[in-house]
Amino acid sequence: MSEPVNRARRVLNEAPADLLLDRIADVLAAGYGVTRVDLLQVDYRLAALLPLAGDEPVTGPGHPAWRCFDHQTAIVADGTGFLPVSMRGERWGVLVVTPVPERPGALDELTEIATALAHEIVAVAGGTDVYHSARRSRRLTLAAEMQWDLLPGRSRTRPSFSLAGQLEPAYAVRGDSFDWSDDGNRAWLSTVNGTGEGVAASMLTSLATHALRNARRSGLGLADQAALADQAIYDLHRGDQHLAALLMELDLRSGRLTVVDAGSPRLILLRGGEVRELPLEAQFPLGMFEATDYREQHFELCRDDRIFVVSDGVTDAIGRDVRYGEAALGRFLRRTGPMEPLDAVRSLIGDLRAYVAGDLIDDAVVVCLDWTGPQD
């Protein structure tokens, strides 16, 4: 690792949370002769790259910054470098530097620095509003603020799997949500198809998510996780409020998928270019009745299988007085085969927005999970 890269890492480590870009700009000026530095953060809709300095957003799909973000590779255009600001599959945005040094290896070093910046932004974002405030093109509703803060991220990549999720309408989502975790041997994923309006819906989803996390972190199996969350919601609301959820656990070595369907969103398999819905055993939503017993189902995934989880807000989206529907969903999912999970999710949401000619009215959650096979 070169000295400028090492220095950049040290500077980022020591910089105040709100001055990461300023400090890294000093390093790039001294080590690479860079005279202009900017950070473009992707907004909540995955539709704009917003400069940290508050300049004009980048929205055109053919722009070099979007090519960098989409392909996760460094792009040089007219002497300006666009570098992916990403870590462990979580795409935060794009670092823009001008000019790009022509010496061999400089672009690779700048890309390493952009990755180090991503790690540091994620580390400090909980303690400053600078980055969160600059990545929104409009005001979030209070319910949406709660929902986005609840998420583990928007995408995740490991050698044996990759996944991504998105909430819509991004700036006004209420109760739909997702959560995930992995320990190297297993990956857990839950999706919630929330009910109700505004903050009340977000509070119900938050209770369910934290109850599921508490059970998962206690080492409970999937059925017991559902039962604990079910009881937590019932104890508070006595059946007056409940929500649908889908819980999954993937054995990353064998591809064995364990599922609990609690009145859940749909689970769709894309295998070899063919799309089919996996048959789930419908069980009561979380919180509907006291002491519900939940049962697990098992499916065997094949290497390079893709799983989609979609809530009814997707198929029920209305355009020109016609539902988007299952047929349109199946046709579109089939086309996502070559895409990375985040690109597949983003493309589906974009297709829905085009279909309804604007933002979705009802909540929708889309999650895409690829199992790439056991890793040595």
Side-chain angles (χ1 to χ4, degrees):
M1 189 178 297
S2 71
E3 176 52 32
V5 173
N6 282 328
R7 181 163 181 261
R9 291 182 182 275
R10 290 195 300 270
V11 167
L12 286 170
N13 240 1
E14 298 167 0
D18 59 314
L19 296 178
L20 296 180
L21 193 63
D22 292 341
R23 295 292 189 265
I24 208 65
D26 293 340
V27 173
L28 297 182
Y32 298 92
V34 169
T35 58
R36 172 181 169 253
V37 178
D38 201 356
L39 173 63
L40 306 178
Q41 299 184 107
V42 70
D43 86 316
Y44 288 86
R45 293 177 79 231
L46 291 170
L49 291 168
L50 305 176
L52 187 63
D55 296 330
E56 287 298 309
V58 177
T59 56
H63 193 282
W66 272 116
R67 300 206 317 268
C68 168
F69 182 86
D70 289 339
H71 300 292
Q72 287 297 285
T73 188
I75 301 289
V76 178
D78 298 325
T80 296
F82 300 87
L83 314 165
V85 179
S86 307
M87 50 84 68
R88 296 189 178 93
E90 179 71 16
R91 304 186 197 179
W92 197 271
V94 175
L95 184 66
V96 184
V97 297
T98 306
V100 176
E102 295 183 0
R103 69 172 176 80
L107 190 62
D108 290 339
E109 293 172 9
L110 290 170
T111 302
E112 285 188 59
I113 293 172
T115 300
L117 175 62
H119 281 265
E120 203 60 37
I121 290 173
V122 171
V124 305
T128 178
D129 291 334
V130 167
Y131 306 102
H132 289 297
S133 296
R135 65 188 293 218
R136 54 192 71 185
S137 57
R138 68 182 79 161
R139 184 179 180 273
L140 287 171
T141 64
L142 176 55
E145 189 86 50
M146 294 168 65
Q147 290 301 80
W148 283 104
D149 278 353
L150 189 64
L151 299 184
R154 192 149 47 184
S155 53
R156 178 94 164 112
T157 300
R158 290 202 63 162
S160 55
F161 76 93
S162 57
L163 56 80
Q166 176 67 4
L167 307 179
E168 282 292 319
Y171 287 89
V173 68
R174 298 171 290 272
D176 282 14
S177 189
F178 57 83
D179 191 32
W180 59 58
S181 178
D182 77 273
D183 65 2
N185 295 314
R186 293 168 296 173
W188 293 268
L189 170 64
S190 62
T191 54
V192 170
N193 189 0
T195 58
E197 296 295 328
V199 171
S202 291
M203 292 176 66
L204 183 62
T205 296
S206 179
L207 173 60
T209 300
H210 282 100
L212 290 170
R213 286 176 179 171
N214 177 255
R216 185 185 72 223
R217 292 166 181 171
S218 299
L220 299 182
L222 218 57
D224 288 335
Q225 292 175 32
L228 188 147
D230 170 71
Q231 194 62 43
I233 296 170
Y234 185 85
D235 285 347
L236 186 62
H237 297 291
R238 312 308 295 179
D240 291 335
Q241 294 190 45
H242 47 80
L243 48 73
L246 180 66
L247 282 61
M248 293 186 286
E249 178 183 313
L250 175 61
D251 187 314
L252 298 173
R253 295 160 297 186
S254 68
R256 183 176 175 84
L257 182 68
T258 303
V259 178
V260 171
D261 173 5
S264 73
R266 299 171 60 195
L267 183 59
I268 300 171
L269 173 67
L270 178 61
R271 174 181 291 170
E274 295 300 317
V275 173
R276 67 182 178 95
E277 186 168 353
L278 293 180
L280 299 179
E281 180 185 356
Q283 301 178 76
F284 291 126
L286 302 178
M288 181 173 282
F289 299 107
E290 186 173 15
T292 302
D293 287 326
Y294 289 93
R295 296 173 299 279
E296 299 176 354
Q297 288 179 263
H298 302 282
F299 302 93
E300 301 298 329
L301 297 187
C302 297
R303 185 187 296 269
D304 297 327
D305 274 353
R306 167 166 287 180
I307 292 288
F308 281 97
V309 185
V310 296
S311 67
D312 54 12
V314 174
T315 52
D316 290 347
I318 300 293
R320 300 176 297 278
D321 296 324
V322 179
R323 291 173 66 248
Y324 188 74
E326 288 80 3
L329 176 63
R331 286 194 298 271
F332 193 88
L333 295 185
R334 205 170 287 114
R335 299 205 300 268
T336 67
M339 301 178 188
E340 293 295 319
L342 183 62
D343 301 321
V345 166
R346 179 173 159 225
S347 295
L348 175 56
I349 293 295
D351 194 58
L352 284 171
R353 289 197 200 110
Y355 186 78
V356 304
D359 284 338
L360 275 65
I361 296 174
D362 294 329
D363 277 10
V365 60
V366 180
V367 177
C368 178
L369 167 65
D370 287 354
W371 181 59
T372 52
Q375 305 297 314
D376 295 331

